[in-house]
Amino acid sequence: MRRTKQQRLEKRGWAVGTAADFLALSPEEAAFVEIKLALSDALRAHRQKAKLSQAQVAQRLGSSQSPVAKMEAGNPSVSLDLLIRSLLALGATKKTVARTIEAASLRRAA
């Protein structure tokens, strides 16, 4: 949010904070959420780059389309394990996965 907008909202009595503040997440919990969301975004990007539908990805994973949609939407019920295995099944390298996690961690630190 732009600083000017934040100041305007605060002048009107609004409390401005992060989702982690609102949900009372610990730093570790907030970092975990950021990593899962980054991996979800990376999965969608890899699928789109490969010009695959969610159903085609699901077929590669031996699953149905619904779990792929949940993974891409950042559904909290999706495991970190499934996100990483799915990325690797789409051709992402271990280095790409590591960079995705690192980028999420750096955004969090900024």
Side-chain angles (χ1 to χ4, degrees):
M1 176 183 310
R2 290 188 325 264
R3 183 72 187 142
T4 55
K5 183 175 183 177
Q6 181 177 341
Q7 289 171 336
R8 201 169 56 244
L9 288 171
E10 288 171 340
K11 278 183 183 178
R12 293 182 180 173
W14 290 93
V16 178
T18 66
D21 295 335
F22 179 74
L23 297 171
L25 298 177
S26 70
E28 296 80 13
E29 291 168 326
F32 185 73
V33 169
E34 290 289 330
I35 289 168
K36 283 185 75 172
L37 290 175
L39 291 170
S40 294
D41 291 343
L43 179 64
R44 180 182 300 110
H46 272 76
R47 178 184 62 79
Q48 290 173 338
K49 185 178 177 184
K51 297 185 176 159
L52 296 171
S53 67
Q54 289 179 344
Q56 289 169 315
V57 171
Q59 190 174 29
R60 285 187 182 190
L61 299 174
S63 183
S64 62
Q65 178 271 334
S66 178
V68 176
K70 286 181 180 182
M71 284 187 275
E72 289 186 2
N75 187 303
S77 68
V78 174
S79 71
L80 198 53
D81 174 63
L82 183 57
L83 283 168
I84 292 172
R85 284 189 295 116
S86 299
L87 274 166
L88 296 172
L90 286 179
T93 64
K94 291 184 285 185
K95 193 174 205 174
T96 300
V97 173
R99 284 183 178 161
T100 301
I101 293 169
E102 179 184 31
S105 299
L106 292 175
R107 277 195 306 269
R108 176 110 183 99

